[in-house]
């Protein structure tokens, strides 16, 4: 950078005028008339000094061009030393020969058209490589670098700002292909970024898969429709010209709408000045719009029958139909239309209208026999008229009458019918075809916008892609070429204003020591075309608003009278045709005046509009539903907007959008006029380099500071590098702000110098001031940076943020560890307290259970003692009463078995000591009734009486194994039959096999 500056920065005299300037060597070929006179204060006094400088510079140029094998390695033309048109041209030629088609030129990317497919240069892997690169500027120059820079700048350093990518160049230089690659890149990048962000953003597990899937489908649908809009718009808006086989015949500005996460959520298209005259008129060796040839080649047999198109049929409006182009892909256009949402019926209606336009071009009239009679159809045109009327779904008789008879209005009520001449019939036919095609094209653009445009609330920023027709100069140039070249002049002025002029003015205003670099300013040409009070457009509109026939000779004379003082306008004295010559920034262009006024008026007969409004075709009727008798009210036709006025208004709105965005320039260069692959013509390229100001751009980029950041934004982003503290409401003009900025810059420069080796410390200290001045400059309100300095700032900022993030992480980890220890201690104490409480509760429960057991045990012992005493007492009573037996006892002793029912009177039995009561009855069969649950349970538990109705046989174990006592404790395992026993704690009964014998065993106390 420093070497380039020392060679090219101009020196000043004491009065501030430029004495010597290397930039005066900008153009060595064909530039003699371009910089004559005084430019930016340079007068004749510098001619001698300039000539000597040229002589000295020639040696440097020769030395630079000696090693031609290394010229292709210069990927940035700012590294070329010295910078002259010759060195720049040789570098581009060497790189083009090495099949390297992209080269940086400061803030501009230069793209050379290879005129052949290079698929590996635009693959998905290459897109991914540039998109994922940490520093894309370190990679080889590519159109994807410009796209990625704009994509990252949407969320800029200070605040988000919209971006615009301006692709300019001559017709055939590759603008359409470049725009197509940019759209594909953004659609692919936005979709991939969305897929990579889906997982981190998912939080609700129940609904996230559905929402993520829906969002991904939306992004993919927008991506597909953005890409599919290109084939449709190119088919209906591009055509083959002498300079380009796929020339855009309209301008378009595409806004790719992004949300806050930089996801592509929609897109919109704005179009400018469709060249609808091409529908009815094609220059020699040129073709009509691509869609007509696609229909002619790709239609099926059924479609041909519906459209009335035979195989190998020739149409007047389809010249050079035998020429095969890559763009003649009908099925691709149909698939793209279907992807955009056009169903089969809508496509059929569109192609039916297009076929009607083709058949309309075959309609011709014979001259009328008399002036008062209307022209009749030619015999060969009757069939074409019938087909056109059937396809447009209008009556054939009405169509013929509207083409051959015009309506004149006499006042507010009177209407006169006047037959048209043969030429007028042809003009009205062409007018009908052009207005149908123009309205259909506008309807398609509106449909595309409705299919992929997002709501205003869903997007916040956009990236604009501007693809307009390139500069054109044909053998015959008319109003279309004037408007096209005017648009290119506006874009060139935007580049000059934004970069070449505005940057240098800003350097001086901010206090930089800057010497102005001369450049070609095209403001004079713009004033000639659109200026006030007199200009080409103003005179043309005024001529069209006059209610008189157009006169080309008279208009040409008026142009000479009003605009002869302009240095950008001239005339060819030897030409007999009315014309004028405009010296554009690219080259002079001769415009023919004949027919220019009629094209500017663009009249549409109201009777033709009425015919189309009455059509039975729903699409055609909807296209003209809002069309009326525009301009034919009580004030006459002087209120009708002309073509140039509408175009100028739309172009002004476009320039306002561009001025509100950050532009990125791509200059497409056409290496040869014949579109031959890898053919490089020096004269052709040199003319384009001179026209678009590439050399001046390189000079300013090499000597200037491409990055400018206000103090407030600079401190906001890089203030963390130092420890300087500023008040929140401090003014940017405060000296403390400039001191803080200077501290940040010095800290970064010292850090970068400290990173070098010890052997180079002395050299770095000596050159510290020069390095600082060449990389950064602090102005009055802004900081001016070069890309290396910006890289140093970003690296230092990343280091500081990493260090602070590490400190935050350490503190956070320490805090978390402390909290973890405290939580562990608290949990341990809580667990100990809970365990102690649980143990105490369990011990208390045990104590209560033991107390209950002891209480119940003591109660049970006392009950057993009481029962034993009662049994003994009853036994003694039985022995005493043994002598006096009742009648039943005597019967039992004698018989041993008795039926109780045979006893005359009831006998009361004591069921409590039943085992003792029946001791003297070996066999007893009885029937008894017991009351109370305890008595019945006692009998069943003691005597093992089974549950069955009828008679019961009671057998005691008196005669087998002794007396069974209620208190007898068995020596073997027992079996429980009842949940509760009538005797408390007597839940056992003796079995058949046990070792208890004898009556006295009752008194045994065993545990």
């Amino acid at each position: 950078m420093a070497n380039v500056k020392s060679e090219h920065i101009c020196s000043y005299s004491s009065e501030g005028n430029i004495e010597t300037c290397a930039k005066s060597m900008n153009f060595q070929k064909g530039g003699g008339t371009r910089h004559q006179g005084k430019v930016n204060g340079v007068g004749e006094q510098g001619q001698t000094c300039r000539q000597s400088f040229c002589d000295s510079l020639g040696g440097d140029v020769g030395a630079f061009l000696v090693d031609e094998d290394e010229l292709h390695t210069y990927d940035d033309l700012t590294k070329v030393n010295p910078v002259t048109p010759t060195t720049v041209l040789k570098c581009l030629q060497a790189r083009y020969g090495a099949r390297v088609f992209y080269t940086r030129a400061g803030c501009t990317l230069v793209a050379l058209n290879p005129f052949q497919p290079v698929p590996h240069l635009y693959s998905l892997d290459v897109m991914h490589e540039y998109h994922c690169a940490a520093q894309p500027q370190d990679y080889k120059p590519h159109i994807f670098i410009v796209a990625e820079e704009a994509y990252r700048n949407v969320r800029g350093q200070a605040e988000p700002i919209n971006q615009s990518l301006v692709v300019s160049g001559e017709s055939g230089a590759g603008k359409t292909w470049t725009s197509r690659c940019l759209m594909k890149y953004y659609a692919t990048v936005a979709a991939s970024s969305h897929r990579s962000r889906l997982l981190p953003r998912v939080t609700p597990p129940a609904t996230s898969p559905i929402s993520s899937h829906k969002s991904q489908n939306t992004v993919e649908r927008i991506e597909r429709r953005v890409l599919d809009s290109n084939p449709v718009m190119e088919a209906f808006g591009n055509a083959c010209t002498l300079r380009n086989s796929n020339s855009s015949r309209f301008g378009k500005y595409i806004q790719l709408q992004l949300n806050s996460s930089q996801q592509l959520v929609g897109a919109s298209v704005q179009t400018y000045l469709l060249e609808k005259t091409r529908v009815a008129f094609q220059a020699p060796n040129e073709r009509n719009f691509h869609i007509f040839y696609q229909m002619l080649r790709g239609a099926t047999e059924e479609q041909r029958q519906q459209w009335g198109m035979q195989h190998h049929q020739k149409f007047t409006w389809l010249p050079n139909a035998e020429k095969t182009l890559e763009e003649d892909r009908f099925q691709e256009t149909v698939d793209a239309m279907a992807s955009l949402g056009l169903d089969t019926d809508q496509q059929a209606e569109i192609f039916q209208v297009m076929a009607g336009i083709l058949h309309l071009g075959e309609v011709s009239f014979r001259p009328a026999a008399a002036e008062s009679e209307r022209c009749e159809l030619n015999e060969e045109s009757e069939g074409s008229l019938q087909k056109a009327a059937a396809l447009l779904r209008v009556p054939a008789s009405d169509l013929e009458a509207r083409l051959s008879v015009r309506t004149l209005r006499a006042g507010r009520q009177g209407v006169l019918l006047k037959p048209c001449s043969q030429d007028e019939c042809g003009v009205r036919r062409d007018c009908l075809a052009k207005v149908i095609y123009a309205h259909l094209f506008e309807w398609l653009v509106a449909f595309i916008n409705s299919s992929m445009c997002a709501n205003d609330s869903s997007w916040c920023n956009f990236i604009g892609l501007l693809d307009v027709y390139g500069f054109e100069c044909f053998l015959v140039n008319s109003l279309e070429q004037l408007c096209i070249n005017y648009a290119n002049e506006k874009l060139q002025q935007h580049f000059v204003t934004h970069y070449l002029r505005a940057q240098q003015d800003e350097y001086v205003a901010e206090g930089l020591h800057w010497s102005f670099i001369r450049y070609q300013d095209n403001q004079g040409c713009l004033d000639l075309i659109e200026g006030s009070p007199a200009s080409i457009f103003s005179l043309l509109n005024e001529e069209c608003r006059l209610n008189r026939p157009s006169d080309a000779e008279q208009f040409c004379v008026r142009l000479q009278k009003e605009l002869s003082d302009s240095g950008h306008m001239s005339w060819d004295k030897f030409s007999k045709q009315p014309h004028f010559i405009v010296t554009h920034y690219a080259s002079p262009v001769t415009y023919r005046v004949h027919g220019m006024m009629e094209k500017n008026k663009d009249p549409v007969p109201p009777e033709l509009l009425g015919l189309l409004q009455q059509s039975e075709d729903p699409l055609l009727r909807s296209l003209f539903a809002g069309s009326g008798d525009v301009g034919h009210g009580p004030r006459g036709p002087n209120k009708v907007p002309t073509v140039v006025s509408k175009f100028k208004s739309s172009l002004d709105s476009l320039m306002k959008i561009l001025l509100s965005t950050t532009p990125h320039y791509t200059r497409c260069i056409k290496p040869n006029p014949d579109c031959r692959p890898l053919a490089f013509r020096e004269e052709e390229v040199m003319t384009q380099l001179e026209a678009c100001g590439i050399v001046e751009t390189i000079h300013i980029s090499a000597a200037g500071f491409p990055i400018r950041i206000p103090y407030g934004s600079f401190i906001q982003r890089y203030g963390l590098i130092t420890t300087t503290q500023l008040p929140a409401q401090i003014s940017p003009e405060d000296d403390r702000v400039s001191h803080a900025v200077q501290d940040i810059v010095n800290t970064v420069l010292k850090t970068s110098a400290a990173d070098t080796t010890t052997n180079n410390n002395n050299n770095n200290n000596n050159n510290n001031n020069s390095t600082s001045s060449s990389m950064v400059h602090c102005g009055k309100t802004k900081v001016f940076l070069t890309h290396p300095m910006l890289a140093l700032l970003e690296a230092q900022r990343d280091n500081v943020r990493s260090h602070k993030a590490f400190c935050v992480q350490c503190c956070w980890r320490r805090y978390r560890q402390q909290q973890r220890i405290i939580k562990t201690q608290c949990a341990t104490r809580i667990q100990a307290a809970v365990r102690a409480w649980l143990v105490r509760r369990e011990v208390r429960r045990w104590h209560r259970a033991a107390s209950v057991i002891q209480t119940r045990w003591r109660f049970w012992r006392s009950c057993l003692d009481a029962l034993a005493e009662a049994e003994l007492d009853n036994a003694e009573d039985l022995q005493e009463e043994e002598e006096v037996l009742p009648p039943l006892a005597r019967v039992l002793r004698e018989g041993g078995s008795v039926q109780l029912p045979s006893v005359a009177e009831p006998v009361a039995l004591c069921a409590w000591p039943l085992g003792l009561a029946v001791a003297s009855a070996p066999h007893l069969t009885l029937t008894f009734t017991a009351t109370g649950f305890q008595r019945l349970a006692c009998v069943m538990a003691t005597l093992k009486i089974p549950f069955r109705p009828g008679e019961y046989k009671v057998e005691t174990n008196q005669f087998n194994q002794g007396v069974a006592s209620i208190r007898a404790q068995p020596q073997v395992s027992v079996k429980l039959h009842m949940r509760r026993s009538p005797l408390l704690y007597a839940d056992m009964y003796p079995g058949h096999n046990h070792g208890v014998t004898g009556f006295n065993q009752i008194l045994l106390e065993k545990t």
Side-chain angles (χ1 to χ4, degrees), residues 290-334:
H290 292 323
I291 185 62
F292 293 110
Y293 299 93
Q294 293 178 1
M295 293 172 57
L296 190 64
R297 293 176 179 272
T300 62
E301 290 297 332
E302 181 181 359
Q303 289 174 336
R304 290 182 183 275
Q305 293 179 2
Q306 294 177 357
W307 302 340
M309 299 172 58
Q310 305 298 327
H311 284 282
H312 307 293
Q313 183 177 358
K314 294 184 179 180
F315 291 91
T316 305
W317 287 349
L318 296 185
N320 303 313
E322 68 282 353
K323 186 177 181 180
T324 303
L325 297 179
E326 183 183 359
E327 289 75 19
D328 296 340
R329 299 176 180 176
F330 182 64
Q331 189 60 41
E332 180 180 354
T333 303
V334 172

Side-chain angles (χ1 to χ4, degrees), residues 361-588:
E362 302 301 310
V363 176
S364 59
F365 292 86
R366 297 193 304 266
E371 185 177 357
S372 59
E373 297 180 0
R374 71 178 189 179
C375 299
E376 298 294 336
L377 282 172
N378 290 325
E379 295 180 359
E380 62 273 10
S381 299
E382 293 181 358
S384 299
L385 181 68
Q386 294 293 334
K387 292 180 180 179
L391 292 171
L392 299 178
R393 302 185 70 176
V394 295
S397 58
D398 291 349
L399 177 60
E400 180 182 0
R402 303 294 174 89
L403 293 178
S404 58
V405 178
R406 62 176 177 171
T407 303
L408 299 179
R409 299 196 176 200
R412 297 186 178 183
Q413 300 295 333
V415 176
L416 300 177
L417 299 178
K418 181 180 179 181
C420 299
S421 62
Q422 183 183 15
D423 294 337
E424 291 176 345
C425 291
V427 171
R428 293 170 71 86
R429 175 204 60 195
D430 298 346
C431 180
L432 180 61
K434 291 187 294 184
V435 72
I436 293 176
Y437 192 87
H439 279 69
L440 180 60
F441 184 80
E442 293 176 359
W443 180 87
L444 274 175
V445 173
F447 186 88
I448 292 174
N449 286 333
S450 64
S451 66
M452 63 182 184
C453 187
N455 297 328
D456 294 339
S457 59
S458 61
W459 64 277
C460 55
N461 299 102
F462 68 86
I463 298 177
L465 305 179
L466 180 60
D467 177 21
V468 297
Y469 9 60
F471 184 83
E472 293 183 351
C473 180
F474 299 134
L475 294 176
V476 178
N477 303 284
S478 188
L479 183 66
E480 295 84 7
Q481 282 68 41
L482 179 62
C483 293
I484 290 172
N485 295 336
Y486 164 66
N488 283 271
E489 290 282 355
K490 293 285 286 187
L491 292 178
Q492 178 66 15
Q493 180 64 20
H494 176 264
F495 175 76
V496 168
T497 303
H498 180 269
Y499 193 79
L500 300 181
R501 180 195 301 166
Q503 285 198 14
Q504 299 189 80
D505 293 342
E506 189 175 20
Y507 292 157
V508 175
E510 290 290 334
L512 276 73
H513 298 289
W514 181 264
S515 56
F516 273 93
I517 297 174
R518 297 190 309 170
Y519 55 87
Q520 179 186 359
D521 193 354
N522 64 334
Q523 186 60 47
C525 185
L526 285 175
D527 293 339
L528 172 67
I529 298 175
E530 64 170 2
S532 179
S535 63
I536 297 176
F537 280 176
S538 62
L539 295 177
L540 187 60
N541 290 333
E542 185 179 346
E543 186 71 21
C544 294
R545 291 190 176 99
L546 296 176
N547 192 11
R548 65 183 183 186
S550 302
D551 190 346
E553 293 285 350
Q554 185 177 358
F555 179 69
C556 188
V557 171
R558 190 177 181 189
L559 287 177
Q560 293 181 6
K561 179 181 179 181
E562 298 288 344
L563 305 175
S564 59
D565 295 337
S566 176
H568 291 270
M569 192 169 188
S570 60
W571 290 265
D572 186 3
K573 298 180 180 180
F574 299 99
S575 177
K576 298 181 180 179
Q577 295 290 337
H579 71 284
F580 59 92
I581 303 174
V582 177
T583 304
H584 293 281
Y585 74 96
S587 65

Side-chain angles (χ1 to χ4, degrees), residues 673-699:
D674 303 325
C675 301
R676 289 186 291 110
L678 300 178
F680 192 92
R681 287 187 58 179
E682 296 184 2
E683 296 81 3
E684 182 81 10
V685 176
M686 178 64 75
T687 302
Q688 298 176 62
L689 292 178
E690 294 177 355
C692 60
I694 290 294
V695 179
E696 294 93 334
T697 305
I698 297 171
H699 283 307

Side-chain angles (χ1 to χ4, degrees), residues 665-891:
Y665 302 99
T666 300
R667 296 290 190 178
C668 296
I669 302 296
K670 188 176 183 180
N672 63 85
D674 303 325
C675 301
R676 289 186 291 110
L678 300 178
F680 192 92
R681 287 187 58 179
E682 296 184 2
E683 296 81 3
E684 182 81 10
V685 176
M686 178 64 75
T687 302
Q688 298 176 62
L689 292 178
E690 294 177 355
C692 60
I694 290 294
V695 179
E696 294 93 334
T697 305
I698 297 171
H699 283 307
I700 296 177
S701 299
F705 301 93
I707 302 170
R708 299 170 299 281
I709 305 176
Y711 279 167
S713 301
F714 185 85
I715 293 177
Q716 180 181 357
R717 184 170 181 83
Y718 303 107
L720 52 86
I721 295 178
T722 61
T723 58
T724 304
Q725 299 293 333
L726 293 176
Q729 303 297 332
I730 191 171
S731 174
E733 289 78 11
D734 198 321
D735 293 338
R736 290 177 294 177
V737 176
S738 61
H739 292 325
V741 171
Q742 193 66 43
D743 291 342
I744 296 173
V745 172
N746 293 335
T747 301
V748 173
L749 292 176
K750 290 179 181 179
T751 303
S752 63
D755 293 338
T756 58
T757 59
T758 307
N759 296 330
N760 296 329
N761 281 340
N762 295 331
N763 295 332
N764 289 332
N765 292 333
N766 295 332
N767 297 331
N768 187 26
N769 294 332
S770 62
T771 303
S772 176
S773 61
S774 62
M775 297 178 63
V776 61
H777 182 86
C778 298
K780 297 179 181 179
T781 61
K782 293 182 180 179
V783 182
F784 296 85
L785 307 170
T786 59
H787 285 289
M789 186 63 193
L790 180 63
L792 291 177
L793 283 168
E794 290 293 332
Q796 183 67 18
R797 179 175 179 269
D798 292 340
N799 292 336
V800 173
R801 293 179 66 188
S802 298
H803 177 70
K804 294 184 181 299
F806 179 74
C807 295
V808 172
Q809 289 175 354
C810 292
C811 296
W812 173 248
R813 292 191 184 102
R814 181 170 61 252
Y815 170 76
R816 289 185 61 185
Q817 185 66 22
Q818 294 175 352
Q819 293 297 318
R820 189 180 295 110
I821 294 173
I822 294 175
K823 290 180 180 179
T824 303
Q825 294 175 352
C826 294
T828 303
R829 294 175 181 175
I830 293 174
Q831 289 175 358
V834 171
R835 290 192 185 101
W837 177 79
L838 290 175
V839 170
R840 287 193 298 271
R841 187 185 67 173
E842 188 70 15
V843 170
R844 285 195 297 267
R845 190 171 66 86
W846 290 347
H847 281 295
R848 289 194 300 270
S851 301
V852 171
I853 292 172
Q854 292 175 355
T855 303
R856 297 299 181 183
W857 171 253
R858 295 189 186 100
F859 180 75
W860 181 69
R861 288 293 301 270
S862 62
C863 290
L864 288 181
D865 294 341
L867 288 175
E869 293 178 358
E871 288 183 356
L872 291 176
D873 295 340
N874 292 336
E876 293 177 355
D877 295 338
L878 289 175
Q879 291 178 0
E880 294 177 355
E881 297 176 358
E882 190 176 13
E883 298 177 356
V884 182
L885 293 177
L888 180 60
R890 186 179 299 111
V891 175

